[in-house]
Amino acid sequence: MARAERPDTLAAIEAAVWQELARAALDKHHAWRTPVLATGLSDGADARVVVLREVDPPTRTLVFYTDIRSGKVAQCLEQPTATVVMWSSVLGWQLRCRVQLSLDTQGVSVLSRWARLKLSPAAQDYLSPLPPGSVIDDPVRPVLPRDDRGHFGVLFARVDSLDWLELHRDGHRRARFDADGARWLQP
Ligand SMILES: Cc1cc2nc3c(=O)[nH]c(=O)nc-3n(C[C@H](O)[C@H](O)[C@H](O)COP(=O)(O)O)c2cc1C
């Protein structure tokens, strides 16, 4: 849903960005629900689409779910600084979040989320006997039991810096929000 008003101060824009992020985690139709997570490799970069599962504005944290055997997990353990990028044509906003990734594989943060997830078809994504990216003969997946939590892990992305770009017919605007404060940038 388009915003009723165009925020006009840096503080209002930052607040609106976190409001949209929180909405995106709850609304399957929000374009920011499926951002791209880009991670660093020793010989370049990698990127993939993930589902934005939760957003906690007070701690500036985005939450993703993943198979802990996936390439992105190995990359984040080696190089925890990553970028999450999203675009909404409804808002006309691109958001680039510089984040610090951390992974939980056990404890209440994982168990409580798995308790909810295991009731949904998405649980199958974390139960495969083979790691993501394994070469297989047949793409048809067996239906696997959901009693244990398989290879489910929770990826936390703490946002250190936001680069916001608005494309608008009256003029594009860009701003950065980070530990040094908020400022306008030339788009
Ligand atoms: C719409 C969409 C949503 C996806 N959501 C997730 C997700 O939430 N978590 C995840 O690990 N992979 C998700 N994937 C799959 C990843 O894009 C990727 O193919 C997979 O995780 C393996 O990536 P990696 O080898 O870089 O770790 C999604 C793919 C699409 C197309």
Side-chain angles (χ1 to χ4, degrees):
M1 197 171 61
R3 296 186 70 84
E5 284 174 21
R6 210 176 161 206
D8 58 356
T9 64
L10 288 166
I13 290 165
E14 189 175 20
V17 162
W18 282 103
Q19 197 179 46
E20 290 297 337
L21 283 168
R23 272 186 197 157
L26 299 174
D27 177 0
K28 287 193 169 139
H29 302 293
H30 198 298
W32 284 4
R33 167 95 169 162
T34 46
V36 171
L37 168 65
T39 44
L41 298 169
S42 53
D43 61 349
D46 204 352
R48 79 289 290 158
V49 173
V50 286
V51 173
L52 179 61
R53 296 284 184 166
E54 298 165 34
V55 172
D56 185 43
T59 58
R60 306 174 69 80
T61 302
L62 316 179
V63 179
F64 309 108
Y65 296 168
T66 193
D67 184 314
I68 58 176
R69 301 165 299 173
S70 66
K72 75 182 82 50
V73 166
Q75 292 158 21
C76 105
L77 295 177
E78 196 164 322
Q79 171 52 268
T81 303
T83 298
V84 180
V85 189
M86 48 201 97
W87 156 251
S88 163
S89 58
V90 174
L91 296 168
W93 292 359
Q94 171 184 263
L95 193 63
R96 283 194 287 173
C97 314
R98 181 56 74 97
V99 300
Q100 292 297 318
L101 295 174
S102 60
L103 179 75
D104 271 8
T105 59
Q106 54 193 350
V108 71
S109 67
V110 174
L111 294 175
S112 60
R113 289 173 172 98
W114 179 252
R116 284 196 308 269
L117 186 69
K118 75 175 184 184
L119 305 173
S120 76
Q124 292 293 324
D125 297 347
Y126 310 97
L127 297 172
S128 160
L130 294 172
S134 301
V135 176
I136 52 172
D137 293 332
D138 184 345
V140 177
R141 298 193 304 180
V143 175
L144 302 158
R146 298 167 187 206
D147 296 337
D148 81 63
R149 64 180 189 280
H151 307 278
F152 175 65
V154 183
L155 208 46
F156 295 93
R158 196 197 66 228
V159 177
D160 288 341
S161 156
L162 287 173
D163 184 316
W164 171 86
L165 172 68
E166 179 191 57
L167 302 186
H168 197 279
R169 61 183 178 279
D170 297 339
H172 305 333
R173 296 184 299 169
R174 182 176 173 190
R176 176 162 304 142
F177 306 91
D178 61 20
D180 295 330
R183 57 245 185 245
W184 297 108
L185 302 179
Q186 172 63 29

